[in-house]
Amino acid sequence: MTTIAPEESALEAVFDATVAADERIEPRDWMPDAYRSTLIRQIAQHAHSEIIGMQPEANWITRAPSLRRKAILMAKVQDEAGHGLYLYSSAETLGTSRDELLDKLHTGRQKYSSIFNYPTLTWADVGAIGWLVDGAAITNQVPLCRCSYGPYARAMVRICKEESFHQRQGYELLLALSRGTEAQHAMAQDAVDRWWWPSLMMFGPPDDESAHSAQSMAWKIKRHSNDELRQRFVDICVPQAEALGLTLPDPDLSWNEERGHYDFGPIDWTEFWEVLKGNGPCNAQRITRRRRAHEDGAWVREAAAAHAAKHGKADR
Amino acid sequence: MTTPRPADAPAAPAARPAEWPLWEVFVRSRRGLAHTHAGSLHAPDAAMALRNARDLYTRRSEGVSIWVVPSAQVTASSPDEKDTFFEPAGDKPYRHPTFYEIPDGVHHL
Amino acid sequence: MTNLTRTPALALGDDALILSHRLGEWAGHAPVLEEEVALANIALDLLGQARILLSLAGDEDELAYLREERQFCNVQLVEQPNGDFAHTIARQLYFSLYQQLLFDHLATGGSELAPLAAKAVKETAYHRDHAEQWTLRLGDGTDESHTRMQRGLDALWRFTGELFEPVDALDAPWQTLRDEWTTRLTTVLERATLTVPQGPQHGAWTAGAGRQGLHTEPFGRMLAEMQHLHRSHPGATW
C-alpha cells in the first residue's frame, strides 16, 4: 500500500469536506491515521468504562432490598455489558479486535472512566450512580449520537435510548430513600455527598488543560467542551436535588443571574489526577477482578472455538 | 486496496487464536418489514451467534426474526469505486415520477 | 414469619428465586460479554417467575426477605454455589429440563399455576436450549472443558433425585416426568460425548429435604447476604 502525497491530500480533502458537511465517516472511507487512532482510544475507553462499570453496581445485586429493585439492577448491569459489546463492535470496524482492546485494558495501556474506581459502600450508592454518574454520562453521550464516525454514532443512539431508564431508576431509588426512614434518608445524603464531586470530574479536566479537545472538536468526535457539558450538568442537577430533598455538598453553589447558570466551587483536580494515575480507592480491585473473569473464562472460549472447528460445517 | 472486505469489518484483522469470529446481526422488527442491520457480536458458531443475537439485540422486544451472517462473508462495494458505482445513476432523472409534468386535474397517475 | 403454609406456588417460587440469585452472582464474571447478557436474561426470567409465584403465596418481599432458612422449600439443586462455568451449566441443564417438563404439564392443567406455567414454559424452553448448547460445546470442546463438564454433572447428580419427589398438593405425574427427564438428558449427554452419572440421585440423609426446609451449608450464607439489608431496616420501603 504505497500512497503518494498528492493522492493523500485529495483524500484528506474529501474527508474534511464530509466532516464539515456534518455527514458521517463510514468504516471503509479513507480517514487520517490520527482520526482512526483517536477514535479507537475514545471508543475503547468508553467500552471499558461500561464493563468495568458493571462491578460497583453488581456489588449490590445479591443484596438488593426488594425483588423489584433486584430485577431493575440486574437489567441495568446487563445493559452495561450490552453497551460495552456495542462499543467494542464499533471500535472493531476501525481495524482493531476486542481481544486486543481487552488486552490493553487488562495491562493498563488503555483507561476507563475513573469514576468506577470509587466504591459502592451502601445501597444508596446504586441510586447515586444512576442519578449522578449515569446523568453525567448521558450529558456526555447525547451529543455523541451526532459524532462524525457512523458506527460510533449509531452505537450511541442505541445506548442513549436504552440508558434512559438507568438515570430514572437511580433517581427513583434515591427518592424512596429520601422519603423513607431517617436512616434511609441519611444513607441517601451520604451517597450524594460522596458521588457529587467525582461525577463533576467525569467531564474531564478544564478546557485549558484538556489534551485532545481541540482536534477532537474539529473532527466532530467531541461536540462540546468539557466545561460546557459540566455546567449543563450542574444546572440540571440543582433543581433535581431540591426535588429529592437532598443537598449537594458544595457551599459555593448559587444561581448567577448574570450568567444564567449556577456557579459552583473549585474541583479538587489533585484527586482526579491521583485516581487517574491508579491511586483511587478501587483501581487495583477493579482491574484484578476484570482480568480474573477473562482468565477464568479462557477455557470456555477455547472449548467453544474447538467445538466449532470440529462441527462448524454441520451447524450451518 | 481492492480486495473486497465486509462493510464494517476490521481493515486489518488482528486475529488471535482464541477469539471468536465476528457476526453481523439483522433483525426484522415486525412482520411486514425487512430485516435491518442491528449491529454485530462475537460467537463461536452460527447457532450460538443466533442465540447471542436474540439475547443482545431483542431484549426489549425489538424483533420477530433474526439473521446472522459471518462478517467475513459480506462483500461490500469499495468507497474508492463510489463514483463509478453510484454516480452514473445520478443523471437519469427520468427514472423518477417527479420528472414528468402532468396537467392539473389529472388524477390517479 | 410464622404459620407458613407450604404451597406449590411457594415451592416453585423458591426454586426460581434462589436459582435467579445464584445466576445473578455471575454478573461481571462471565467468560465472555455475550454470556453476561445471556445469563442475566435467564436470571431475570426466573426472578420474574419467582415474583409471580411468591405473590400467589403472599407478599413477595416478606417471603423472600423475612423467612428463616428452614422455611424455604426450594430443591437443594438450585442453592448449590456456581462453581466454574461448567458446574453452572450442569445445574442449568438439570434444572431447566425438569422445569420445562413440569411447566409443560402444569400449563395444560386447571390449577392456579396454569397461566404462569403457560408463560414460563417458553422462557424455560430457552433456558434448556441455552444449557444444552453449552453442554454440547463444553462436552465436545477441549479435553479440559470435557473434564470440567463431566465433573460438574457428577458433582450435582445427587441433587437430581429430589426434583421428582412429589410436592404437597401439586398434582403431577412424577414418575413419567422423571423418565422423560432421564431420556432427554441421556440424549444430550451422549451427543456431547459425556456420560450420565452413575451414583445415587440422593444424598444419604437428605432425600427430598429441600422441599421440607432442610438445606445445604452454602444456603444459609447465601440467605444472610440476600436478606441482610432488608432486615436491617425493619418496616422500611425501598
Side-chain angles (χ1 to χ4, degrees):
Chain A
M1 209 171 68
T2 47
T3 334
I4 52 168
E7 255 181 46
E8 181 104 346
S9 68
L11 290 167
E12 182 139 23
V14 173
F15 171 86
D16 289 343
T18 309
V19 173
D22 239 340
E23 288 197 31
R24 300 287 174 263
I25 302 297
E26 294 296 342
R28 303 191 66 214
D29 291 338
W30 183 92
M31 60 186 90
D33 288 346
Y35 176 84
R36 186 185 297 274
S37 60
T38 303
L39 263 177
I40 291 177
R41 194 190 62 235
Q42 181 176 334
I43 299 172
Q45 173 162 338
H46 194 162
H48 299 332
S49 300
E50 294 283 355
I51 61 165
I52 295 282
M54 296 169 73
Q55 289 184 36
E57 293 182 276
N59 184 34
W60 283 92
I61 286 178
T62 52
R63 291 178 288 174
S66 74
L67 297 185
R68 175 174 174 269
R69 291 283 174 208
K70 190 172 184 166
I72 292 168
L73 184 56
M74 275 206 243
K76 179 172 190 268
V77 173
Q78 179 194 42
D79 270 353
E80 279 149 17
H83 296 170
L85 215 153
Y86 304 155
L87 289 162
Y88 285 122
S89 298
S90 69
E92 284 179 273
T93 64
L94 289 160
T96 181
S97 70
R98 194 200 293 178
D99 262 8
E100 190 179 323
L101 299 177
L102 284 175
D103 191 51
K104 286 186 173 153
L105 169 67
H106 297 154
T107 52
R109 286 176 292 151
Q110 279 178 346
K111 301 218 172 293
Y112 54 90
S113 176
S114 273
I115 192 79
F116 301 116
N117 290 318
Y118 289 86
T120 47
L121 301 177
T122 72
W123 170 250
D125 290 25
V126 173
I129 288 183
W131 176 42
L132 295 174
V133 176
D134 291 328
I138 290 167
T139 309
N140 262 329
Q141 287 168 2
V142 167
L144 290 176
C145 296
R146 295 182 296 118
C147 134
S148 64
Y149 187 59
Y152 189 28
R154 289 191 287 275
M156 290 319 304
V157 169
R158 194 173 190 108
I159 289 171
C160 286
K161 210 193 286 177
E162 296 187 350
E163 260 185 11
S164 50
F165 103 79
H166 293 191
Q167 195 188 11
R168 273 173 174 246
Q169 66 82 32
Y171 192 82
E172 189 209 61
L173 191 164
L174 285 177
L175 193 64
L177 295 179
S178 181
R179 292 177 176 174
T181 65
E182 212 173 302
Q184 285 178 306
H185 182 88
M187 191 193 283
Q189 184 62 59
D190 167 64
V192 170
D193 289 348
R194 280 181 290 111
W195 288 94
W196 173 249
W197 290 108
S199 301
L200 294 192
M201 295 177 199
M202 282 176 71
F203 296 93
D207 294 346
D208 46 9
E209 290 170 36
S210 179
H212 310 289
S213 280
Q215 181 61 75
S216 292
M217 298 270 274
W219 279 334
K220 297 187 181 173
I221 55 182
K222 182 176 174 138
R223 315 245 6 180
H224 302 279
S225 81
N226 294 352
D227 287 332
E228 213 179 324
L229 290 169
R230 187 167 14 245
Q231 181 69 59
R232 187 181 295 178
F233 179 66
V234 171
D235 291 346
I236 290 170
C237 285
V238 174
Q240 290 178 347
E242 278 165 21
L244 272 179
L246 298 172
T247 57
L248 296 171
D250 180 359
D252 297 330
L253 203 57
S254 65
W255 178 251
N256 183 326
E257 193 63 56
E258 204 176 306
R259 292 203 305 126
H261 291 291
Y262 282 92
D263 289 336
F264 54 97
I267 293 171
D268 181 0
W269 291 110
T270 317
E271 177 181 314
F272 174 79
W273 293 114
E274 279 301 309
V275 177
L276 197 69
K277 265 194 289 178
N279 298 327
C282 303
N283 299 56
Q285 177 188 330
R286 300 281 186 250
I287 210 70
T288 303
R289 175 160 162 193
R290 174 63 228 147
R291 209 184 289 147
R292 201 179 60 220
H294 190 72
E295 284 163 8
D296 288 352
W299 69 269
V300 179
R301 298 190 298 274
E302 279 159 22
H307 181 271
K310 282 188 230 178
H311 300 273
K313 298 257 152 42
D315 274 346
R316 298 249 169 102
Chain B
M1 273 315 274
T2 51
T3 327
R5 262 194 283 108
D8 282 8
R16 280 154 177 264
E19 178 148 46
W20 295 345
L22 197 64
W23 301 74
E24 300 302 323
V25 179
F26 299 82
V27 175
R28 184 200 295 287
S29 56
R30 57 187 166 81
R31 301 184 71 83
L33 296 183
H35 288 76
T36 50
H37 188 236
S40 47
L41 48 75
H42 288 271
D45 53 60
M48 290 301 272
L50 207 49
R51 284 156 180 82
N52 291 345
R54 176 264 194 193
D55 285 332
L56 185 66
Y57 288 105
T58 67
R59 67 191 191 283
R60 285 178 168 81
S61 315
E62 294 98 329
V64 295
S65 163
I66 300 174
W67 292 345
V68 290
V69 181
S71 303
Q73 295 298 313
V74 176
T75 307
S77 64
S78 158
D80 305 344
E81 295 157 346
K82 192 169 59 146
D83 293 351
T84 50
F85 259 61
F86 304 115
E87 243 182 59
D91 65 351
K92 296 175 182 66
Y94 43 80
R95 285 197 171 114
H96 301 278
T98 48
F99 181 75
Y100 303 93
E101 276 186 38
I102 301 295
D104 288 346
V106 177
H107 300 295
H108 306 298
L109 261 175
Chain C
M1 287 186 81
T2 49
N3 300 329
L4 191 77
T5 320
R6 290 209 174 93
T7 61
L10 196 60
L12 304 186
D14 282 349
D15 286 348
L17 176 73
I18 302 307
L19 188 56
S20 163
H21 184 95
R22 284 298 189 201
L23 290 173
E25 292 174 351
W26 270 103
H29 292 287
V32 64
L33 271 181
E34 281 80 359
E35 201 52 31
E36 289 281 356
V37 182
L39 290 171
N41 266 352
I42 298 173
L44 282 167
D45 283 345
L46 288 166
L47 185 52
Q49 294 171 13
R51 295 182 64 188
I52 294 170
L53 286 161
L54 293 186
S55 296
L56 291 172
D59 177 88
E60 60 173 35
D61 284 336
E62 271 181 41
L63 288 167
Y65 292 101
L66 298 177
R67 269 183 298 162
E68 300 298 323
E69 182 177 332
R70 295 293 279 265
Q71 295 175 310
F72 278 84
C73 40
N74 53 282
V75 290
Q76 293 177 349
L77 175 67
V78 296
E79 73 201 35
Q80 297 312 306
N82 289 334
D84 65 8
F85 187 69
H87 198 85
T88 289
I89 292 299
R91 193 182 60 199
Q92 285 303 112
L93 182 66
Y94 288 157
F95 183 77
S96 59
L97 195 45
Y98 151 79
Q99 203 192 28
Q100 188 188 355
L101 291 167
L102 180 61
F103 282 178
D104 242 340
H105 168 77
L106 294 177
T108 54
S111 80
E112 62 162 1
L113 302 181
L116 172 275
K119 172 183 176 288
V121 77
K122 294 177 200 145
E123 299 169 348
T124 302
Y126 192 82
H127 304 170
R128 197 255 314 138
D129 176 71
H130 172 267
E132 280 187 10
Q133 295 295 334
W134 271 114
T135 301
L136 294 172
R137 279 158 188 77
L138 298 182
D140 193 13
T142 61
D143 289 347
E144 178 179 10
S145 69
H146 179 91
T147 308
R148 285 178 185 259
M149 191 65 218
Q150 189 65 56
R151 195 192 298 155
L153 291 165
D154 292 347
L156 293 168
W157 184 246
R158 69 194 176 91
F159 297 106
T160 56
E162 189 182 4
L163 297 172
F164 305 99
E165 293 294 329
V167 175
D168 284 347
L170 186 62
D171 181 30
W174 297 103
Q175 189 55 47
T176 314
L177 292 181
R178 183 180 195 134
D179 295 342
E180 183 68 13
W181 183 88
T182 310
T183 308
R184 291 201 193 187
L185 180 75
T186 308
T187 310
V188 177
L189 295 190
E190 275 172 7
R191 273 186 68 201
T193 73
L194 296 158
T195 47
V196 179
Q198 289 304 306
Q201 284 177 269
H202 288 105
W205 61 277
T206 53
R211 294 269 183 245
Q212 316 306 321
L214 200 58
H215 295 279
T216 54
E217 274 189 1
F219 188 55
R221 191 174 291 272
M222 194 209 97
L223 274 191
E225 183 174 337
M226 183 174 106
Q227 297 182 333
H228 166 261
L229 176 61
H230 184 98
R231 285 180 178 240
S232 301
H233 298 263
T237 49
W238 300 95

